Amino acid sequence: MRSALMLVRAVAGLEWLVAEEVTAAGCRVVEVSKRQVVVDGLVEPPRMADDVFEVYGVAPDPGRARAGVAAAVQAALPSAPGGGVFAVSASFVGERNFNRYDVEDVVGQRLARLTGGRYHSRRDGAVPPDERTEWRVVLDGKTLWIARRPYAAPIHRRPWRQHTVPGSLHPPVAAAMAHLADLAPGHQVLDPFCGAGTILLESHLIEPRVTYLGVDRDPTAIAAAQANAAQLVGPSINWRVGDARRVEGSFDRIVSNPPWGVRVDAATVSAGMRRWREVLRPGGVVVALVLAEQVPRGWTVLGRHQLAVAGRHPVIVVLGVSRY
Ligand SMILES: C[S@@+](CC[C@H](N)C(=O)[O-])C[C@H]1O[C@@H](n2cnc3c(N)ncnc32)[C@H](O)[C@@H]1O
């Protein structure tokens, strides 16, 4: 019989927040490991997750030797659903005497035999066809997991997201920031470096009863944010072309991902962040995704989550106004 377990994949550093999200939704967390949360009884895909796969096969991790992989896959997968075109994507932790393509091919060939489907190998860099089922294999050092995505697309790919700008944020990270902001009805929320609007749109999906303002100095970014917002039903978000250093207003929350100093000079970015003190209400909270060296000084750090995204190691910091 098929397992009800789901592999919930996460951005490195967000695993425990994803576990919290699924627990709050009434699911049982079976285990948490690097980039993965195994969950029982999942109904809705978590917003903070990267992707979700339904488990069809489990066996002990065969370890380092290549010879053990085929036997483990056979034990894990006595039968499988499917047919049609499918692809397999594998990852493992630790040193192995095989590579990911070796694992993918073993699983792909086994699935093709069991289901009569056509396996599309990624070994030579060929892009698989859009119309496919996606299988995921994880060797986490303890267990070999074989799972299938129950959705047509990865869940981090949001239907509302039609436009991006350079530096646009991975939506699950934006969802995690919105969660950490602890948004409540009636709040006034600002993103002064809003880009294509990812943070405020994910925030709106979590808490729509908030007044949101997104500001960016680039009119193209504001147009992108407006176009993305138009994909959602009636989001109450105001978008404005403006400079983060001169933003006006009074806000309960500032949730933002300032530039990491590649296209914008560091002085401009830190001047934009200094403005947060002027526009944040007493008791207000800032949630910012910044590089470690950009964390603004003189704030009380209420939370800190180290991530690994896009080859960088930024940190989500939750900041409150220091009383001293
Ligand atoms: C890292 S991107 C934000 C990406 C956004 N979170 C998204 O998902 O699309 C930083 C944004 O800051 C904007 N920016 C840079 N300097 C600014 C300034 N002084 N005032 C306002 N926006 C600024 C850039 O135009 C860019 O869109």
Side-chain angles (χ1 to χ4, degrees):
M1 204 174 72
R2 181 156 71 68
S3 159
L5 292 183
M6 304 294 262
L7 289 192
V8 179
R9 302 290 299 170
V11 167
L14 292 186
E15 298 89 344
W16 286 99
L17 289 176
V18 169
E20 251 178 65
E21 183 182 1
V22 296
T23 304
C27 311
R28 187 172 70 88
V29 171
V30 177
E31 65 174 46
V32 180
S33 57
K34 190 174 175 212
R35 298 210 55 192
Q36 182 164 286
V37 183
V38 181
V39 180
D40 193 6
L42 191 73
V43 180
E44 286 287 312
R47 296 212 69 81
M48 290 188 254
D50 215 22
D51 213 349
V52 169
F53 299 87
E54 190 169 6
V55 175
Y56 284 89
V58 180
D61 187 320
R64 199 180 171 118
R66 185 179 177 145
V69 175
V73 168
Q74 193 157 346
L77 218 50
S79 64
V85 181
F86 66 90
V88 182
S89 167
S91 62
F92 50 75
V93 296
E95 294 246 328
R96 311 278 174 154
N97 292 331
F98 48 83
N99 63 34
R100 60 169 277 202
Y101 304 110
D102 297 332
V103 181
E104 290 170 6
D105 286 354
V106 169
V107 174
Q109 281 150 17
R110 173 92 184 137
L111 285 168
R113 210 167 309 125
L114 289 171
T115 67
R118 187 160 65 80
Y119 167 52
H120 180 102
S121 173
R122 289 189 163 94
R123 188 179 280 276
D124 300 317
V127 179
D130 285 345
E131 294 299 313
R132 66 172 190 274
T133 308
E134 190 68 39
W135 287 82
R136 189 78 172 77
V137 185
V138 179
L139 290 90
D140 65 11
K142 202 172 74 179
T143 306
L144 160 74
W145 302 94
I146 304 178
R148 186 175 74 150
R149 185 188 291 136
Y151 307 105
I155 60 154
H156 64 75
R157 197 176 298 157
R158 309 292 209 236
W160 59 258
R161 190 184 234 212
Q162 305 290 320
H163 305 271
T164 56
V165 296
S168 267
L169 194 55
H170 195 50
V173 178
M177 293 172 72
H179 166 77
L180 291 167
D182 196 19
L183 303 168
H187 273 166
Q188 307 272 331
V189 177
L190 168 71
D191 179 354
F193 297 97
C194 72
T198 316
I199 292 174
L200 297 190
L201 290 167
E202 285 295 315
S203 300
H204 170 81
L205 287 164
I206 290 172
E207 181 47 85
R209 295 161 297 175
V210 160
T211 305
Y212 292 104
L213 172 63
V215 172
D216 199 290
R217 71 174 181 184
D218 180 358
T220 320
I222 291 298
Q226 283 168 329
N228 284 334
Q231 302 293 321
L232 295 174
V233 184
S236 53
I237 304 183
N238 303 303
W239 306 103
R240 199 173 295 159
V241 177
D243 193 320
R245 293 169 292 184
R246 283 180 280 280
V247 71
E248 297 286 344
S250 176
F251 302 93
D252 302 283
R253 299 287 183 267
I254 297 173
V255 192
S256 196
N257 128 238
W260 291 351
V262 180
R263 292 172 198 88
V264 181
D265 64 283
T268 300
V269 178
S270 47
M273 293 200 272
R274 276 201 298 279
R275 185 79 194 141
W276 296 349
R277 288 193 171 283
E278 319 303 321
V279 297
L280 193 66
R281 286 192 181 141
V285 167
V286 172
V287 180
L289 178 74
V290 287
L291 297 176
E293 60 271 24
Q294 290 179 310
V295 175
R297 302 232 173 94
W299 294 80
T300 302
V301 178
L302 306 169
R304 194 183 169 99
H305 300 265
Q306 178 77 58
L307 311 187
V309 269
R312 306 295 294 265
H313 292 88
V315 53
I316 301 177
V317 280
V318 183
L319 306 171
V321 177
S322 167
R323 270 180 279 152
Y324 305 102

